[in-house]
Amino acid sequence: MEDLSLDDLTAQLQAVQKKTSTTRLSERNIVELVNKLKELGFLGDDLLHTINGQEYITTDKLRQEIQDALHNAGGRLPMADLPSLLNVDLVHCEVQVDSIVADSGGAVTVIENDIVTIQYFDSIAVEINDILQDSGMLKVGDLASQFSLSSEMILSVLSPRLGKLVLGHLQAGMVYTSMYIDRMKAQLRGALRAVMAPTSLTNVVKAIGLEGGGISDMVNRVVEDLIKEKSIKGQLRSGGQWIPAIYVRAQQEAVRSFYNQNGWIALETIRRLGTASEDAFIKEHFPESTKLHAVLISSGLIAQVDAEIKEAATSKTWCDIVPLLPADFTSKDISSVMKHCPAITASEASERMTVLAETFAISKAFLQDCGERARQEGKANAVGALRSRQESAKQGDSKLEKQPQEKKAPVQQDQQGDADDDWGDLGKVKGKKKAKGGKAKGKGKSGGSNQAPGSKGQPSGIGDEPPNAFYPTCEKVSAKLMEWFSDLEDFGVDAPIVVALAESILPEATKEYQETIKAATRTVSQSHRQIKDSVMKAMEDGAQKLWLYMRGTELLESDPATHAAINRGLVRSTGVDAVDWLLRLMQLQEPNADIAEPLVPIPAVERNHIPKTLPPDMTEEAEQALESIKGDDPKVVFQSIEKGAECLGIRFKKMDKKFEKQKLAEFRAVLTEQISMETVPANALAQGLPLLFTKIHGRALSIPGRAMPGVIKFLKMDMEPQEHEVLESMHKLVVLSLKAQSDREQGEEGVDPQELEETLVKLRKICTSKTSG
């Protein structure tokens, strides 16, 4: 076999083919035979079965047929078409396509399941160039639809072939030729040169027929190139707005003309010119101007305002610069103008002028004049407030004087009882109450006449006067300014300048008002404190006396009738006095308390009304004190007084044996001095009986007339019979003497005066010589 030549082999093949087969095989036998040969290794794995099952094809043959089909299709063949063309399953075709692509070195690729060769891209590039040269401009999106490729693929095809196969430019999704750009540039150059006012490029493009999607970016670039080439003069602003240079020049000239004629220009007008730098434009065109908040002002206009201010300083008056400036100036601009005026800002000017309400230049001399008038007005108001207070106090006193019976009747009722109570209390207390009454009257008058119309803590010093009736306020000072200066009437009382002037001089009026009030009330305030101290001392003394007398009544508990009479008399006298002082002290806690006679006993009607006028934190204690004097227990009265004093922050001095001993010594000394000089028998008995009780038992005792018989009887066991007989005789003679005075009209004979005088001498001797038992 190895020695056979090719011709020999060909001859043998022909001979075999010409022989007829003695045995015919079926298609199934053939398939089984092929499979057996592949198992035995006689046939390789590159043998593929066709779709119809009647043919076998090798991979090399399949690859060649795919390449032939791709070439015949023009370089682009859908992969899905291969099974129908080659009668081979798509899976085998895909394998061979991948092999072809891998071995092609980039000459063949698969795009969206299409087999494409580089020659195909060159061909469509040539086709695109032909279309481009005819139309001048193409959109990438349109090309993608035409060639059934994505926009990205079209861009990838065109980009490397621009200037070679495709003679044009690619930008912003558009392909265009240089001739198209030149034509567009010529059209835009002519159109924009004809524009005389700000215009949108969109309108210009519509006018010259260059409309089309995506063309705006190209138009903007062309216009920018024309500006750089200086083919057109103007500015292209954001948003595609074209501003011709001739329009800008006209606007700038109008701005300069307005500024030169008026001395100012609004900054918004300059901003509308569209200058690149506002500050640079101002520096170039208005070098001597001053930039404010919303306007640009010339130095000449500032000089005019400054001259008006200087005139106001010279004439010692004021000026409003608002009428000197245009209405377009804002409040901030006007305030800034003031700051740029030398008449205001210069160091020597600050001593002559000041600014109020942002727009008014005020002379310091004018302000001083206003301040002096305000001080005089404040002083006059203070005098009026004091006078009004005094008149109100007088009216209140006259109202109280119209009801004397209502106030005096309860006092008489309290003092009335039986005849013994009357003369007993009179003899025991009258001398002391006269002395107290004399002092109280003097202090009451001085306190009433000097009562302060206000307190130190209140600036107005007007106490119960209606709020701000006389106290200086901004509204009142504003009204006065309108009276003092007629040229302010045009502004109105609520105008900023009037209010600002009023606020600037109000402190002077207030200070003068307060100083006048303080000067008038300082003495009264001191008197108020002295009265308060006196009432507090009287309350403490009354409470101490009540406690001392309570100690004495404890010794008479064995005689219920006498004990009850003494307690009742003690509550009605000493207890009522102490409660009066407590109530009066509660009233005086109010600095503005207006009490005509604070150091005299309180009438019953007024006493019952006092708790209603007190602050809530004192009302309960005051009512308890009033309720206690309606009973007969002095201990309850003392406890209510002590509780009331605690609510005022007052604690009584400790009342122990040492304190009692000291007070008893003072008590004995006073009674001894009184009885030694007493000539009225009834008074002498009222002084001598408590003195004897104190000396014998070491306790103080307040003895009403009704309880005297019981006390005399109680002392019998502790006195010498002769002395006790003198005491009984004295009591009997005094009672007869008092009855005789009431029966003198009937002509009955009275007590022998000589006998009464002799008994008085004996009683005085016993009282002054008797030692403590």
Side-chain angles (χ1 to χ4, degrees):
M1 294 289 292
E2 295 179 357
D3 296 336
L4 294 176
S5 63
L6 180 61
D7 294 336
D8 295 336
L9 293 175
T10 302
Q12 291 181 7
L13 177 61
Q14 292 176 354
V16 171
Q17 291 176 343
K18 289 179 180 181
K19 290 181 179 180
T20 59
S21 175
T22 57
T23 304
R24 294 184 65 86
L25 298 176
S26 64
E27 292 183 0
R28 181 175 181 179
N29 295 139
I30 295 299
V31 171
E32 291 177 351
L33 179 61
V34 172
N35 291 337
K36 187 63 175 177
L37 290 173
K38 290 176 72 175
E39 290 178 3
L40 296 175
F42 292 105
L43 295 176
D45 295 333
D46 58 347
L47 188 64
L48 304 175
H49 201 271
T50 61
I51 294 176
N52 57 17
Q54 297 180 356
E55 296 177 327
Y56 284 96
I57 186 171
T58 63
T59 56
D60 292 340
K61 180 63 175 176
L62 178 60
R63 179 173 180 173
Q64 182 61 44
E65 289 185 0
I66 291 174
Q67 290 175 343
D68 293 343
L70 179 61
H71 178 73
N72 294 334
R76 181 178 181 181
L77 178 65
M79 197 176 294
D81 293 346
L82 291 177
S84 60
L85 291 175
L86 304 179
N87 197 25
V88 179
D89 190 76
L90 181 61
V91 176
H92 303 306
C93 294
E94 288 177 347
V95 173
Q96 297 307 312
V97 169
D98 291 341
S99 177
I100 293 172
V101 172
D103 296 339
S104 68
V108 180
T109 184
V110 177
I111 299 174
E112 298 177 354
N113 287 328
D114 284 1
I115 309 170
V116 183
T117 64
I118 194 170
Q119 288 79 13
Y120 175 77
F121 289 142
D122 291 340
S123 65
I124 65 171
V126 172
E127 185 177 353
I128 289 172
N129 184 63
D130 293 340
I131 299 173
L132 178 63
Q133 299 306 319
D134 291 339
S135 62
M137 185 270 292
L138 294 174
K139 296 179 182 178
V140 172
D142 295 341
L143 294 175
S145 300
Q146 180 179 350
F147 293 101
S148 300
L149 293 173
S150 65
S151 298
E152 292 78 6
M153 180 57 63
I154 293 294
L155 290 174
S156 65
V157 171
L158 293 178
S159 296
R161 294 169 176 78
L162 288 174
K164 299 174 183 177
L165 297 178
V166 179
L167 303 178
H169 305 280
L170 176 63
Q171 197 166 18
M174 297 183 67
V175 187
Y176 50 87
T177 63
S178 298
M179 292 180 62
Y180 179 81
I181 295 298
D182 293 341
R183 185 169 62 253
M184 177 187 290
K185 186 177 289 188
Q187 289 176 304
L188 288 173
R189 181 170 52 247
L192 294 178
R193 283 180 177 178
V195 172
M196 303 298 291
T199 307
S200 172
L201 280 182
T202 304
N203 296 333
V204 175
V205 169
K206 289 180 180 179
I208 62 178
L210 290 177
E211 292 184 271
I215 200 172
S216 59
D217 292 336
M218 185 185 302
V219 170
N220 289 341
R221 286 190 296 273
V222 170
V223 172
E224 290 174 356
D225 291 341
L226 289 172
I227 294 173
K228 291 178 181 179
E229 297 170 1
K230 297 183 179 180
S231 297
I232 56 176
K233 294 181 180 181
Q235 300 175 0
L236 181 62
R237 295 183 180 175
S238 59
Q241 188 76 5
W242 169 250
I243 310 296
I246 189 172
Y247 173 80
V248 173
R249 287 195 297 271
Q251 290 294 101
Q252 291 179 355
E253 183 59 32
V255 167
R256 282 192 294 269
S257 175
F258 182 90
Y259 177 83
N260 293 332
Q261 292 177 6
N262 299 278
W264 69 279
I265 189 71
L267 292 177
E268 184 61 29
T269 303
I270 296 177
R271 294 188 184 105
R272 285 199 296 267
L273 296 178
T275 57
S277 174
E278 178 181 310
D279 293 337
F281 179 83
I282 292 173
K283 186 176 181 180
E284 177 183 356
H285 296 278
F286 311 105
E288 297 181 357
S289 64
T290 301
K291 184 179 179 181
L292 304 181
H293 178 260
V295 299
L296 193 70
I297 186 172
S298 66
S299 56
L301 188 54
I302 293 178
Q304 293 178 17
V305 175
D306 188 65
E308 290 291 332
I309 296 175
K310 289 180 179 178
E311 177 64 24
T314 304
S315 59
K316 298 181 180 180
T317 180
W318 56 272
C319 72
D320 180 13
I321 71 168
V322 172
L324 306 177
L325 298 173
D328 296 291
F329 278 53
T330 65
S331 58
K332 291 184 178 180
D333 293 325
I334 297 173
S335 179
S336 299
V337 170
M338 299 284 277
K339 295 177 182 178
H340 286 85
C341 291
I344 297 293
T345 58
S347 57
E348 64 276 5
S350 61
E351 299 178 359
R352 301 174 58 193
M353 300 297 292
T354 188
V355 177
L356 290 180
E358 296 184 349
T359 65
F360 291 83
I362 311 295
S363 168
K364 290 290 183 69
F366 179 77
L367 276 181
Q368 291 174 359
D369 181 31
C370 293
E372 181 60 31
R373 293 171 184 257
R375 285 191 293 272
Q376 295 175 3
E377 190 66 23
K379 187 173 183 178
N381 282 2
V383 172
L386 292 171
R387 186 179 296 114
S388 175
R389 178 65 184 201
Q390 291 172 356
E391 292 176 357
S392 299
K394 289 179 181 179
Q395 292 175 2
D397 292 342
S398 64
K399 290 180 181 179
L400 292 175
E401 290 173 359
K402 291 178 181 178
Q403 302 174 353
Q405 299 301 325
E406 295 180 5
K407 297 186 177 181
K408 291 179 180 179
V411 179
Q412 295 172 358
Q413 185 178 356
D414 288 342
Q415 292 178 350
Q416 286 176 353
D418 53 66
D420 290 339
D421 281 343
D422 286 342
W423 74 261
D425 288 343
L426 181 64
K428 174 174 73 69
V429 181
K430 227 173 189 181
K432 294 183 181 179
K433 283 203 174 180
K434 277 184 180 179
K436 281 190 177 180
K439 292 180 182 178
K441 189 174 182 182
K443 290 187 179 181
K445 285 184 178 179
S446 63
S449 62
N450 294 331
Q451 183 68 30
S455 67
K456 187 176 180 180
Q458 291 184 338
S460 66
I462 306 181
D464 296 333
E465 291 294 334
N468 296 330
F470 293 94
Y471 192 74
T473 63
C474 187
E475 292 78 7
K476 295 177 183 178
V477 175
S478 298
K480 284 295 178 182
L481 285 170
M482 304 287 284
E483 295 179 10
W484 297 336
F485 307 104
S486 58
D487 49 354
L488 291 176
E489 293 180 356
D490 296 336
F491 292 97
V493 71
D494 296 326
I497 178 56
V498 178
V499 174
L501 274 174
E503 289 176 348
S504 65
I505 64 175
L506 179 60
E508 298 186 40
T510 303
K511 181 179 179 182
E512 188 67 25
Y513 179 92
Q514 292 174 347
E515 288 180 352
T516 304
I517 291 292
K518 287 179 181 179
T521 59
R522 190 175 294 113
T523 303
V524 177
S525 298
Q526 294 174 354
S527 176
H528 179 81
R529 289 193 296 269
Q530 292 173 357
I531 292 172
K532 186 177 176 181
D533 293 342
S534 299
V535 172
M536 184 170 63
K537 179 67 168 56
M539 182 195 69
E540 292 177 347
D541 291 344
Q544 292 170 359
K545 286 173 62 177
L546 182 62
W547 181 80
L548 287 173
Y549 293 151
M550 285 165 46
R551 292 272 295 161
T553 60
E554 294 173 355
L555 300 178
L556 296 170
E557 291 178 352
S558 58
D559 185 355
T562 303
H563 184 261
I566 291 176
N567 280 345
R568 184 168 58 253
L570 182 57
V571 170
R572 299 295 185 272
S573 57
T574 307
V576 171
D577 289 343
V579 169
D580 281 354
W581 296 127
L582 173 64
L583 296 176
R584 195 64 87 192
L585 187 59
M586 288 180 172
Q587 287 181 302
L588 291 172
Q589 298 304 308
E590 175 59 42
N592 294 329
D594 186 12
I595 305 172
E597 295 182 333
L599 299 177
V600 298
I602 304 175
V605 174
E606 182 182 350
R607 182 187 301 125
N608 295 331
H609 180 69
I610 285 176
K612 300 178 183 178
T613 65
L614 297 176
D617 57 345
M618 301 181 190
T619 303
E620 182 179 354
E621 287 76 8
E623 290 177 348
Q624 289 178 0
L626 284 177
E627 189 65 27
S628 67
I629 60 176
K630 295 178 182 178
D632 297 332
D633 191 350
K635 291 183 179 179
V636 176
V637 178
F638 180 80
Q639 291 173 357
S640 67
I641 294 172
E642 193 172 32
K643 186 177 180 181
E646 287 180 358
C647 85
L648 297 177
I650 301 172
R651 296 185 64 85
F652 291 144
K653 194 174 184 180
K654 185 177 181 182
M655 301 178 189
D656 51 13
K657 290 185 178 181
K658 182 179 180 181
F659 172 80
E660 184 179 17
K661 185 177 180 181
Q662 177 186 351
K663 290 298 180 181
L664 285 175
E666 297 174 0
F667 184 69
R668 287 196 300 268
V670 171
L671 291 179
T672 301
E673 182 181 357
Q674 289 178 351
I675 198 171
S676 63
M677 296 183 294
E678 187 59 64
T679 57
V680 178
N683 291 348
L685 180 61
Q687 295 163 1
L689 188 57
L691 179 58
L692 288 173
F693 187 90
T694 301
K695 288 186 175 184
I696 293 173
H697 294 287
R699 301 281 182 93
L701 190 66
S702 175
I703 308 172
R706 182 173 294 179
M708 280 188 177
V711 176
I712 293 173
K713 183 179 178 181
F714 179 77
L715 294 176
K716 184 175 182 179
M717 297 179 59
D718 300 308
M719 295 179 64
E720 296 294 334
Q722 299 83 356
E723 294 177 349
H724 189 267
E725 184 178 350
V726 171
L727 188 59
E728 286 182 331
S729 299
M730 186 63 183
H731 178 260
K732 181 179 179 181
L733 291 172
V734 168
V735 172
L736 293 173
S737 175
L738 291 175
K739 288 182 179 180
Q741 291 178 8
S742 62
D743 297 337
R744 190 170 298 168
E745 297 177 355
Q746 302 176 6
E748 297 183 4
E749 296 183 359
V751 179
D752 183 5
Q754 185 175 357
E755 182 184 1
L756 190 60
E757 180 65 26
E758 289 175 356
T759 307
L760 174 58
V761 173
K762 292 178 183 179
L763 177 63
R764 185 184 295 131
K765 183 177 180 182
I766 294 172
C767 291
T768 55
S769 62
K770 186 69 177 176
T771 58
S772 179

